[in-house]
Amino acid sequence: MTIKDTPEAWEIRSSETPFVGNKTSVRTDEVVMPDGSVVRRDYQVHPGSVAVLALDEEGRVLLIKQYRHPVRQKLWEIPAGLLDVPGENPLHAAQRELYEEAHVKAEDWRVLTDVYPTAGGCDESVRIFLARDLSEADGERFEVEDEEADMEHARVPVDELVRGVLAGDLHSNCLVVGVLSLVAARTGDGLDALRPAEAPWPARPFEA
């Protein structure tokens, strides 16, 4: 048996959107179950996101610390952001986020992993990139606002982050998945065997 996620779409009898926000919305579908019954399913409709695990020449990961109101915590995270334009090339979005949040650019980009962070209640898909060969970005720093204006920055060794994840001290989904995927890739076929930066992404198709 091949262990692989597969596309499937069950019949939807009706659909409505009771809430529309600035970036996301909430949809209610009436879905036909395998036994013929119909149930209501509420979920967040999301444009998709990218995240960047930026690894410097000393083996440290570039982190930001940002306030997240829904969980009432300041979380250590890796740079990340929304796909602002439908069909946007995710690599370009990731490069933009790394510049805006850390004023850093990278020469080597790979796809680390693709995840559905909360598939039971949101259709968000996130592509996490590995970025290497880092240097300071050209030009002036991006002018941040709101929660981003209070961000802290750090570069932390991978082993220290793994310990923090397993100790329950670090909770950001992209940071946890990114760091553990990095370690798995290193002990497997190596980082150079990761998918290319513009590998297909069925969850969010784009033009390379």
Side-chain angles (χ1 to χ4, degrees), residues 52-109:
V52 185
L53 193 146
L55 189 67
D56 71 13
E57 67 281 356
E58 297 180 35
R60 301 173 302 174
V61 176
L62 190 157
L63 300 182
I64 59 175
K65 194 175 189 181
Q66 184 173 346
Y67 176 65
R68 294 301 188 183
H69 185 70
V71 295
R72 308 298 197 274
Q73 289 196 34
K74 290 187 75 173
L75 301 180
W76 283 110
E77 305 176 347
I78 57 177
L82 299 176
L83 292 170
D84 293 327
V85 180
E88 181 178 17
N89 187 315
L91 173 60
H92 299 167
Q95 292 169 332
R96 180 185 68 236
E97 294 300 330
L98 186 60
Y99 159 70
E100 291 181 357
E101 296 192 347
H103 199 67
V104 167
K105 62 182 179 180
E107 298 302 322
D108 187 278
W109 290 82

Side-chain angles (χ1 to χ4, degrees), residues 164-184:
V165 168
L166 299 180
D169 296 331
L170 300 170
H171 305 90
S172 166
N173 182 282
C174 289
L175 172 60
V176 171
V177 173
V179 167
L180 298 186
S181 295
L182 173 70
V183 173

Side-chain angles (χ1 to χ4, degrees), residues 152-171:
E152 303 173 46
H153 295 79
R155 296 193 181 200
V156 183
V158 173
D159 290 347
E160 184 176 336
L161 294 177
V162 171
R163 287 193 294 270
V165 168
L166 299 180
D169 296 331
L170 300 170
H171 305 90

